[in-house]
């Protein structure tokens, strides 16, 4: 457990002065708290020394001003010191949690497909929220409890030995039992806490998946099945939490019982010492206060063990991710040009996904000239999207398998590579902001004229006219308020506005009709003249205007040439063109937003 928590020292180090100030203040607070029984004993002994019934004159004669003033000053001073101490400790806890979340989020930004194949989104959300909250709670509350445990024990035992050494020795025999029971409880709590955190991750993952796919669930009438599946996951989590709380509750019951037995022993033996005249009444009362101070940590030992063990498990889960190296290393050579022009060369490019039995790409050789327009076609799963992701290193290619302007892709800084090569992905994703904010996501301060120009090029102009708020129209989470075609054109506009030297379009016209596609392609030819453009498509109507067409099948290039050349060859492309031409006789269904009103 301590080894797990010790790894947090890196995040505590910047705020050690706050933590040290808080711990020091807690020690001062314990000293001030220990003064109260001394003044109380002084007052009791002075009252006990009175030879007559207490009266106002007798009380004045007893001179109770010193103990009363001492108690008031000690209590008020302790209040101020404890307030300061808690503030400093909780300030440290807040900053440590903040830094942990920032570090975790930054690491997630540098991971790739393999990482997110191994770790679910729900699991990452649990680690970023619940696990870090446990660590924050450890520093905010656990630090206080441990400081109280240490300082209260040292201070209270010091005063008790000073007042009555023989009586203090009666508190020592239970300590070995407390130690071994605490070790057993820590071990059991660690196992239970691990199950709880993993159960919470599974629960969060299922909720996230369910809500993301709620339309599919409702369309397939699977609500009841999902509720039953969730009930099983929820029950597993509840049982794990029940086991953890059972151990915690047992510890919370055992420790106060030991404390109670110790107090009864002290009360009996101490009372006998008072009756025998070996101790004054005031001293015995003060001693009993110190006993309560010493036993205070024992009463909450179960809570302390649970708190520390859960934080240790949370720390292990966080560092499991934080110690991972970036899946795509950013180690530029420093010799690449400042701007990419757009010449691309693929040399015997192979790629296989983790746990796959065959290559997604198998020996691709292709040269794309600067300013050339290329369309990549082929059946589903032939490697088209994989090829585009390798160009921007969302997937890592083999060394020197991908050359850009004569330099290996990994020689470029990742930021430059992905700025100069704009990828518009196959699945349109929009953030829960306005339409304009989504189009200018990478550079929000672009002028309205540039936004409008990109929207028109993506054939969003007429759609915007139908939106009362135009570019300020909220699109909802993941663009839920837009149709499939509108989302696809919005993401296309987001790629076009960057005016990058290389533009990669991954099947970006699948949700638009052919008339809209023709208008977009005309705008592309105008805007992308002299710049490299690579399109992935299933439509011959998209490919026919390209300089060359690449036909892929099972990760290999099976045909390469212009539209007319491939038709003359009578191969796979010609067959696809025939099938699509014969199918064009069916009516096209337009985007509802484009229909006349």
């Amino acid at each position: 457990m301590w080894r797990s928590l010790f790894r947090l020292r890196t995040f505590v180090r910047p705020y050690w002065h706050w933590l040290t100030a808080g711990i020091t203040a807690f020690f001062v607070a314990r000293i001030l708290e220990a003064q109260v029984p001394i003044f109380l004993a002084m007052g009791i002994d002075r009252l006990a020394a009175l030879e007559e019934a207490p009266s106002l004159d007798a009380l004045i004669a007893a001179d109770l001003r010193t103990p009363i003033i001492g108690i008031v000053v000690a209590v008020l001073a302790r209040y101020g010191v404890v307030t300061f101490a808690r503030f400093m400790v909780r300030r440290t806890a807040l900053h440590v949690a903040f830094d942990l979340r920032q570090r975790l989020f930054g690491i997630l930004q540098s991971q790739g497909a393999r990482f997110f194949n191994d770790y679910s989104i729900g699991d990452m959300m649990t680690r970023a929220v619940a696990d870090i909250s446990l660590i924050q709670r450890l520093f905010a509350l656990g630090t206080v409890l441990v400081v109280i445990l240490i300082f209260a024990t040292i201070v209270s035992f010091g005063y008790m030995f000073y007042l009555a050494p023989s009586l203090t020795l009666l508190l020592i025999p239970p300590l070995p039992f407390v130690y071994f029971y605490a070790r057993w409880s820590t071990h059991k709590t660690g196992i239970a806490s691990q199950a709880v955190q993993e159960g919470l991750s599974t629960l969060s993952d299922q909720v996230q998946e369910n809500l993301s796919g709620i339309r599919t669930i409702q369309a397939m009438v699977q609500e009841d099945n999902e509720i039953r599946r969730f009930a099983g996951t929820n029950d597993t989590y509840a049982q794990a939490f029940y086991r953890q709380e059972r151990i915690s509750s047992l510890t919370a019951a055992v420790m106060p019982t030991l404390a109670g037995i110790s107090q009864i022993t002290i009360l009996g033996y101490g009372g006998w010492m008072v009756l025998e005249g070996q101790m004054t009444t005031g001293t015995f009362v003060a001693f009993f206060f110190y006993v309560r101070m010493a036993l205070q940590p024992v009463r909450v030992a179960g809570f302390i063990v649970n708190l520390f063990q859960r934080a240790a498990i949370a720390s292990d889960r966080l560092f499991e991710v934080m110690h991972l190296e970036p899946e795509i290393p950013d180690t530029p050579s420093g010799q690449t040009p400042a701007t990419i022009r757009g010449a691309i060369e693929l040399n015997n490019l192979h790629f296989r996904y983790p746990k796959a039995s065959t290559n997604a790409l198998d020996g691709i050789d292709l040269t794309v000239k600067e300013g050339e327009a290329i369309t990549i076609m082929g059946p589903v799963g032939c490697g088209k999207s994989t090829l585009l992701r390798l160009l921007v290193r969302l997937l890592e290619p083999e060394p020197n398998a991908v050359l850009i302007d004569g330099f290996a892709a990994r020689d470029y800084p990742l930021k430059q590579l992905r700025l100069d090569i704009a990828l518009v992905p196959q699945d349109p994703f929009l953030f829960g902001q306005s339409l304009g904010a989504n189009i200018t996501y990478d550079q929000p301060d672009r002028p309205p004229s540039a936004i409008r120009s990109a929207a028109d090029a993506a054939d969003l102009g007429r759609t915007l006219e139908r939106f009362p708020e135009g570019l300020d129209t909220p699109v909802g989470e993941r663009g839920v308020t837009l149709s499939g075609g509108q989302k696809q054109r919005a993401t296309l506009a987001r790629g076009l506005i960057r005016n990058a030297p290389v533009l990669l379009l991954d099947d970006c016209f699948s949700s638009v009709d052919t008339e809209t596609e023709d208008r977009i392609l005309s705008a592309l030819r105008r805007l992308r003249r002299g710049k490299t453009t690579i399109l992935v498509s299933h439509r011959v109507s998209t490919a026919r205007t390209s300089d060359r067409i690449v036909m892929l099948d099972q990760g290999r290039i099976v045909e390469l040439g212009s539209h007319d050349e491939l038709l003359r060859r009578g191969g796979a492309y010609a067959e696809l063109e025939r099938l699509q031409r014969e199918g064009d006789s069916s009516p096209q269904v337009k985007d509802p937003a484009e229909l006349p009103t």
Side-chain angles (χ1 to χ4, degrees):
M1 179 179 72
W2 298 113
R3 182 180 300 175
S4 301
L5 296 175
F6 187 67
R7 290 187 290 183
L8 296 170
R9 68 189 183 281
T10 304
F11 295 90
V12 180
R13 190 175 293 123
Y15 315 108
W16 67 268
H17 50 290
W18 294 345
L19 188 61
T20 302
I23 292 174
T24 303
F26 274 120
F27 177 72
V28 173
R30 295 283 77 76
I31 297 296
L32 292 171
E33 183 181 359
Q35 301 310 306
V36 174
I38 296 295
F39 288 116
L40 184 62
M42 182 188 300
I44 291 174
D45 287 342
R46 289 183 179 182
L47 287 175
L50 293 176
E51 298 179 355
E52 57 185 29
S55 63
L56 181 60
D57 293 337
L59 292 176
I60 293 174
D63 191 15
L64 297 179
R65 289 174 298 178
T66 299
I68 291 174
I69 293 174
I71 291 174
V72 171
V73 171
V75 169
L76 292 178
R78 179 184 177 278
Y79 171 79
V81 172
V82 168
T83 301
F84 170 78
R86 288 184 180 273
F87 173 76
M88 299 306 291
V89 168
R90 289 176 180 176
R91 187 179 185 183
T92 302
L94 180 63
H95 281 77
V96 168
F98 177 87
D99 292 346
L100 282 169
R101 287 194 179 96
Q102 285 294 112
R103 176 73 66 84
L104 179 63
F105 189 79
I107 287 172
L108 294 180
Q109 301 306 301
S110 66
Q111 298 303 329
R114 183 175 304 166
F115 174 86
F116 290 103
N117 182 59
D118 296 335
Y119 295 92
S120 65
I121 295 176
D123 182 29
M124 287 300 101
M125 291 175 63
T126 300
R127 296 181 196 230
V129 178
D131 288 353
I132 293 179
S133 294
L134 287 174
I135 293 174
Q136 180 178 350
R137 193 179 183 206
L138 170 69
F139 281 100
L141 183 57
T143 303
V144 176
L145 293 176
V146 169
V147 167
I148 290 175
L149 187 150
I150 296 174
F151 290 162
T153 302
I154 294 174
V155 172
S156 59
F157 270 87
Y159 276 90
M160 283 190 292
F161 269 110
Y162 173 75
L163 293 175
S166 61
L167 194 57
T168 306
L169 294 176
L170 294 177
L171 294 173
I172 296 178
L175 293 181
F177 177 80
V178 172
Y179 170 76
F180 286 110
Y181 184 82
R183 286 196 61 179
W184 174 86
S185 177
T186 299
H187 175 69
K188 292 296 184 181
T189 301
I191 296 174
S193 297
Q194 179 75 32
V196 167
Q197 295 307 105
E198 291 177 353
L200 183 59
S201 292
T202 304
L203 199 68
S204 300
D205 190 46
Q206 188 168 336
V207 171
Q208 188 272 336
E209 181 184 54
N210 183 278
L211 296 181
S212 298
I214 190 65
R215 289 182 174 180
T216 301
I217 292 169
Q218 292 173 343
M220 301 291 290
V221 198
Q222 292 299 301
E223 295 94 330
D224 291 340
N225 287 337
E226 287 296 318
I227 291 172
R228 283 193 293 271
R229 190 165 73 95
F230 180 78
T233 305
N234 196 18
D235 180 67
T236 301
Y237 171 70
Q239 291 298 323
F241 197 85
Y242 168 75
R243 288 190 293 271
Q244 174 186 273
E245 290 305 304
R246 183 174 59 188
I247 297 169
S248 178
S249 299
L250 180 62
T251 305
V254 170
M255 295 303 185
T257 301
L258 292 175
I261 294 174
S262 298
Q263 286 178 311
I264 292 174
T265 304
I266 296 298
L267 183 61
Y269 186 68
W272 176 82
M273 292 179 68
V274 171
L275 293 177
E276 291 295 319
Q278 300 179 21
M279 181 186 294
T280 66
T281 303
T283 301
F284 176 69
V285 171
F287 188 92
F288 205 78
F289 268 94
Y290 292 129
V291 170
R292 291 181 59 85
M293 183 187 294
L295 295 178
Q296 180 185 359
V298 177
R299 294 180 180 275
V300 293
F303 179 77
I304 295 175
V305 168
N306 184 51
L307 187 65
F308 271 76
Q309 191 61 59
R310 293 189 70 184
I313 296 299
S315 176
D316 286 339
R317 284 165 50 83
L318 285 176
F319 282 100
E320 177 187 346
V321 176
M322 289 182 177
H323 284 168
L324 294 175
E325 293 295 328
E327 190 171 323
I328 308 295
D330 189 8
T331 54
S333 65
Q335 300 177 352
T336 55
T339 302
I340 291 175
R341 298 191 308 274
I344 298 172
E345 185 179 350
L346 307 180
N347 298 315
N348 195 27
L349 177 61
H350 293 79
F351 184 81
R352 178 178 296 188
Y353 285 98
K355 302 179 181 179
S357 57
T358 58
N359 288 342
L361 293 175
D362 193 7
I364 299 294
D365 290 298
L366 178 66
T367 299
V368 181
K369 299 177 182 178
E370 178 184 346
E372 193 174 14
I374 298 289
T375 297
I376 302 175
M377 303 186 71
V380 174
C382 69
K384 302 184 296 296
S385 297
T386 300
L387 179 56
L388 298 192
R389 292 172 189 163
L390 287 165
L391 293 179
V392 292
R393 293 186 67 201
L394 290 177
L395 300 173
E396 184 71 343
E398 297 172 336
N400 299 316
V402 177
L403 301 180
I404 300 172
D405 292 340
F407 295 88
R410 63 176 58 190
D411 288 342
Y412 288 88
L414 269 179
K415 185 175 182 180
Q416 179 194 358
L417 187 71
R418 293 172 183 175
L419 280 175
D420 288 351
I421 303 179
L423 170 63
V424 180
Q426 183 176 13
D427 297 322
F429 180 89
L430 297 179
F431 298 92
Q433 304 173 20
S434 68
L435 185 56
N438 272 282
I439 295 175
T440 62
Y441 172 69
D442 65 322
Q443 190 177 330
D445 58 350
R446 285 192 174 94
S449 58
I451 305 175
R452 185 70 195 201
S453 176
D456 289 340
D459 203 49
L460 269 176
R462 290 182 298 167
T463 301
L464 289 174
E465 293 174 0
R466 297 176 182 272
F467 289 159
E469 299 179 65
L471 288 169
D472 294 327
T473 302
V475 300
E477 186 178 3
R478 300 183 179 225
V480 68
T481 62
L482 302 182
S483 68
Q486 290 168 344
K487 286 192 288 187
Q488 205 163 55
R489 282 175 285 155
T491 55
L492 176 60
R494 185 165 61 199
L496 291 176
I497 200 172
R498 293 171 57 181
N499 196 28
V502 180
L503 179 64
L504 310 179
L505 303 177
D506 191 358
D507 202 11
C508 294
F509 310 126
S510 59
S511 296
V512 300
D513 58 81
T514 54
E515 293 180 11
T516 303
E517 179 188 29
D518 288 340
R519 290 194 293 270
I520 295 174
L521 289 174
S522 297
L524 275 177
R525 285 192 294 271
R526 173 174 52 84
L527 293 175
R528 301 294 303 172
R529 187 174 293 112
K531 296 180 180 178
T532 306
T533 305
I534 301 179
L535 300 88
V536 164
S537 180
H538 292 280
R539 294 179 179 177
V540 172
S541 58
T542 304
R544 68 176 67 229
T545 59
S546 299
D547 296 320
R548 285 187 298 163
I549 299 165
V550 178
M551 289 293 294
L552 290 182
D553 191 14
Q554 297 182 358
R556 294 176 175 272
I557 296 178
V558 294
E559 288 186 325
L560 175 63
S562 67
H563 172 75
D564 293 334
E565 290 172 348
L566 295 184
L567 286 182
R568 285 194 298 269
R569 292 178 190 173
Y573 179 81
E575 178 64 14
L576 180 63
E577 192 274 342
R578 183 187 66 80
L579 292 174
Q580 293 189 5
R581 175 166 38 82
E582 292 176 355
D584 279 345
S585 58
S586 59
Q588 294 288 336
V589 179
K590 294 188 176 183
D591 192 323
E594 311 300 342
L595 296 176
T597 57

